[in-house]
């Protein structure tokens, strides 16, 4: 477990946990148990490449805490994936699931790889071998993976099929975020981005703003960013800037989101989109807007660029996009941050819905899914806001405190085995 200390995300999560523990006067034994995962799995993933050579990748699955139920968390494919990063993300999943009252624990997985450099065949072979290596540690009642950075519904389909082949029968509930045809849920694809906008909407209600008067910038234009742009635009917010890994685009009068989504879906680039200026990701983060939504990787707002942020409100669509040092700077500037374990919990909430539907073999309409998503997110937001106001603390600390309080009660009720 000594390898866990190297990553800033992991250190940030532990620091936030300790701070939340002080707010609720946590039992020190519970605090120590929550600081480290229950299990960390490292696997070798040999893959036959298209040129017939064999390349060996490293895969991870970290299972943090299962007090509330089966482990749940995404799998990411990215060249920066490390054991420490995955452990930090697994911890965040534990706290996220607890905060929004899900009967799930927290886990995360990943492979250290740049998926854009793999062919479809190579990616499929890698996914299937990784699944086989961790298959003894996952399952509908054990640990249920989902998509994350660099993975998608097709990746989940390969995992589900590989696991099912090894079991000898179809097991759709082993993963969530699958295609609809093999047990996926309506509303799952856009759930994280939609949930972030639900939080933005509730935030506006609390501070006396109208969503239709907001200017918004979105850093990251993957699944979360695209749906946040679409849902925000539907509510009347003016999305004036978006970006991906290559940079971004800007129009002070507002981007035509429907045309942009069609253009980006077809070309996977902003190049050639008319009526805008090109900007860098750093330009976007420093843009003068009402709401900034970082929706890509962790640590994009840090001590080197936090002073340049001009947004009045930040809604964290990504996991851990703001470092602790950056948050201190932003808090002093009076920036209100809606934290990741609340703002991006829509994805795991609808993943839970998908799991429930798979287990019961009964599926809901998209309208039902979106309605149920709002019914879970709004009370969670209100609970965090109330604690923030009562304790006069930042929202991240309030969210962590609310989450850890529920976990502590459950852990004390279950006790420690053996004594």
């Amino acid at each position: 477990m000594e390898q866990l200390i190297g990553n800033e995300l992991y250190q940030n999560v532990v620091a936030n946990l300790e701070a939340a523990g002080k707010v609720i006067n946590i039992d020190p034994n519970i605090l120590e148990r929550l600081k480290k995962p229950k299990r960390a799995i490292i696997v070798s993933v040999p893959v036959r490449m298209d040129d017939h050579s064999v390349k060996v990748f490293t895969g991870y699955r970290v299972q943090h805490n299962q007090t509330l139920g089966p482990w749940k968390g995404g799998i990411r494919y990215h060249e920066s994936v490390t054991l420490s990063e995955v452990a930090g993300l697994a911890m965040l999943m534990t706290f996220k699931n607890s905060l929004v009252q899900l009967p799930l624990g927290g886990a995360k997985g990943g492979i250290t790889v740049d998926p854009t450099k793999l062919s479809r065949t190579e990616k499929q072979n890698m996914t299937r071998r990784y699944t086989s290596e961790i298959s003894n540690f996952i399952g509908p009642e054990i640990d249920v993976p989902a998509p994350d950075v660099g993975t998608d519904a097709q990746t989940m389909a390969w995992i589900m099929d590989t696991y099912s082949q090894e079991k000898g029968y179809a097991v759709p509930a082993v993963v969530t975020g699958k295609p609809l045809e093999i047990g996926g849920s309506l509303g799952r694809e856009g759930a994280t981005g939609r949930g972030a906008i639900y939080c933005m909407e509730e935030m506006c209600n609390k501070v006396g703003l109208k969503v239709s008067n907001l200017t918004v910038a979105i850093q990251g234009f993957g699944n979360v960013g695209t749906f946040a742009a679409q849902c925000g635009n539907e509510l009347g917010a003016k999305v004036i800037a978006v970006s991906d890994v290559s940079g971004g685009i800007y129009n002070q009068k507002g981007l035509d989101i429907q045309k942009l989504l069609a253009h980006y879906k077809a070309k996977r680039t902003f190049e050639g989109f008319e009526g805008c200026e090109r900007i860098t990701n750093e330009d976007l983060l420093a843009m003068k807007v009402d709401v900034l939504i970082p929706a890509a990787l962790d640590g994009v707002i840090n001590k080197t660029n936090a002073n340049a942020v001009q947004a009045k409100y930040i809604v964290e669509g990504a996991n851990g996009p703001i470092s602790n040092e950056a948050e201190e700077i932003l808090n002093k500037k009076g920036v209100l941050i809606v934290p990741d374990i609340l703002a991006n919990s829509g994805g795991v909430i609808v993943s839970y819905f998908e799991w429930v539907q798979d287990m019961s073999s009964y599926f809901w309409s998209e309208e039902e899914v979106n309605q149920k998503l709002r019914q879970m997110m709004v009370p969670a937001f209100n609970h965090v806001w109330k604690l923030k106001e009562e304790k006069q603390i930042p929202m991240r600390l309030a969210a962590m405190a609310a989450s850890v309080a529920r976990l502590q009660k459950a852990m004390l009720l279950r006790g420690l085995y053996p004594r």
Side-chain angles (χ1 to χ4, degrees):
M1 294 295 183
E2 293 305 315
Q3 295 181 57
L4 298 179
I5 63 175
N7 182 266
E8 185 177 12
L9 172 65
Y10 181 81
Q11 293 173 334
N12 284 345
V13 178
V14 171
N16 291 336
L17 168 62
E18 290 175 336
K22 291 178 181 178
V23 172
I24 66 166
N25 193 26
I26 192 171
D27 184 309
N29 298 320
I30 296 296
L31 178 62
E32 288 306 306
R33 289 173 63 187
L34 288 173
K35 282 183 180 180
K36 291 186 178 180
K38 179 181 176 68
R39 182 183 294 142
I41 305 157
I42 306 175
V43 295
S44 174
V45 187
V47 179
R48 179 78 67 184
M49 309 300 282
D50 290 344
D51 64 2
H52 303 294
S53 66
V54 174
K55 189 168 183 179
V56 182
F57 301 95
T58 302
Y60 306 95
R61 187 69 181 172
V62 175
Q63 297 166 332
H64 176 248
N65 183 283
Q66 62 173 168
T67 300
L68 300 174
W71 288 294
K72 186 84 186 73
I75 291 173
R76 64 172 49 185
Y77 293 168
H78 196 271
E79 60 264 40
S80 70
V81 167
T82 63
L83 175 62
S84 181
E85 179 193 48
V86 174
L89 292 168
M91 290 179 72
L92 282 175
M93 286 303 303
T94 294
F95 303 134
K96 185 183 301 182
N97 291 334
S98 175
L99 178 64
V100 295
Q101 303 285 303
L102 296 181
L104 299 169
K108 209 73 173 186
I111 299 177
T112 309
V113 61
D114 182 350
T116 65
K117 295 181 178 178
L118 300 181
S119 69
R120 177 185 169 88
T121 299
E122 290 169 340
K123 188 174 180 180
Q124 179 175 178
N125 292 344
M126 182 184 71
T127 299
R128 289 184 180 278
R129 182 56 185 258
Y130 170 70
T131 303
S132 183
E133 294 294 340
I134 67 169
S135 62
N136 289 335
F137 303 98
I138 62 174
E141 296 175 329
I142 303 170
D143 182 352
V144 185
D148 199 88
V149 175
T151 59
D152 55 19
Q154 178 60 74
T155 317
M156 297 305 107
W158 291 330
I159 294 175
M160 178 262 186
D161 182 70
T162 305
Y163 184 87
S164 297
Q165 294 291 342
E166 293 190 356
K167 290 296 181 182
Y169 53 90
V171 190
V174 68
V175 291
T176 58
K178 304 178 296 297
L180 293 175
E181 294 80 1
I182 54 172
S185 174
L186 291 166
R188 171 60 185 87
E189 187 180 11
T192 308
R194 184 178 296 279
I197 297 304
Y198 285 166
C199 283
M200 186 180 79
E201 192 175 13
E202 288 305 306
M203 177 194 72
C204 288
N205 291 338
K206 299 297 185 185
V207 299
L209 293 175
K210 290 185 177 180
V211 176
S212 58
N213 292 337
L214 296 180
T215 55
V216 180
I218 301 174
Q219 188 264 337
F221 211 59
N223 178 271
V224 180
T226 54
F227 278 96
Q230 180 178 326
C231 296
N233 184 248
E234 288 172 358
L235 292 175
K238 186 190 297 183
V239 180
I240 67 171
V242 298
S243 69
D244 64 8
V245 67
S246 64
I249 55 175
Y250 160 76
N251 185 331
Q252 183 61 43
K253 295 181 179 179
L255 297 165
D256 188 325
I257 297 300
Q258 294 308 312
K259 287 184 179 179
L260 176 59
L261 291 172
H263 176 92
Y264 197 82
K265 183 177 181 181
K267 301 186 177 182
R268 305 310 301 172
T269 178
F270 298 124
E271 289 293 337
F273 188 72
E274 299 179 352
C276 62
E277 301 173 27
R278 289 308 301 256
I279 57 172
T280 66
N281 270 289
E282 288 300 313
D283 291 335
L284 184 142
L285 294 173
M287 193 159 286
K288 190 172 183 178
V289 290
D290 295 312
V291 180
L292 172 62
I293 303 179
L297 296 172
D298 55 89
V300 295
I301 302 176
N302 48 60
K303 63 181 180 181
T304 63
N305 61 10
N307 275 314
V309 173
Q310 298 187 72
K312 301 172 186 174
Y313 308 95
I314 298 178
V315 178
E316 293 187 318
N319 290 312
I322 303 174
S323 74
N324 282 11
E325 291 173 311
E327 184 170 11
E328 287 182 19
I329 295 169
L330 294 171
N331 286 340
K332 289 177 181 176
K333 293 174 65 174
V335 178
L336 176 64
I337 301 169
V338 182
D340 48 5
I341 65 169
L342 174 61
N344 68 24
S345 63
V348 72
I349 291 172
V350 179
S351 276
Y352 165 66
F353 294 164
E354 181 177 332
W355 177 70
V356 168
Q357 292 170 84
D358 284 335
M359 294 291 276
S360 64
S361 297
Y362 181 79
F363 292 83
W364 311 334
S365 69
E366 186 168 4
E367 183 180 359
E368 285 180 285
V369 170
N370 291 339
Q371 183 182 32
K372 291 177 188 294
L373 172 61
R374 182 183 284 275
Q375 287 173 347
M376 293 196 74
M377 292 206 72
V378 170
F381 186 98
N382 288 336
H383 180 51
V384 172
W385 189 272
K386 181 180 179 182
L387 188 59
K388 174 187 95 71
E389 295 292 288
E390 287 178 354
K391 300 287 187 178
Q392 289 296 293
I393 56 178
M395 278 199 78
R396 188 186 313 284
L397 186 54
M400 284 290 288
S403 170
V404 174
R406 181 185 181 218
L407 266 172
Q408 174 176 239
K409 186 173 182 179
M411 292 173 74
L412 290 172
L413 285 167
R414 288 188 57 167
L416 178 63
Y417 174 82
R419 294 185 62 188

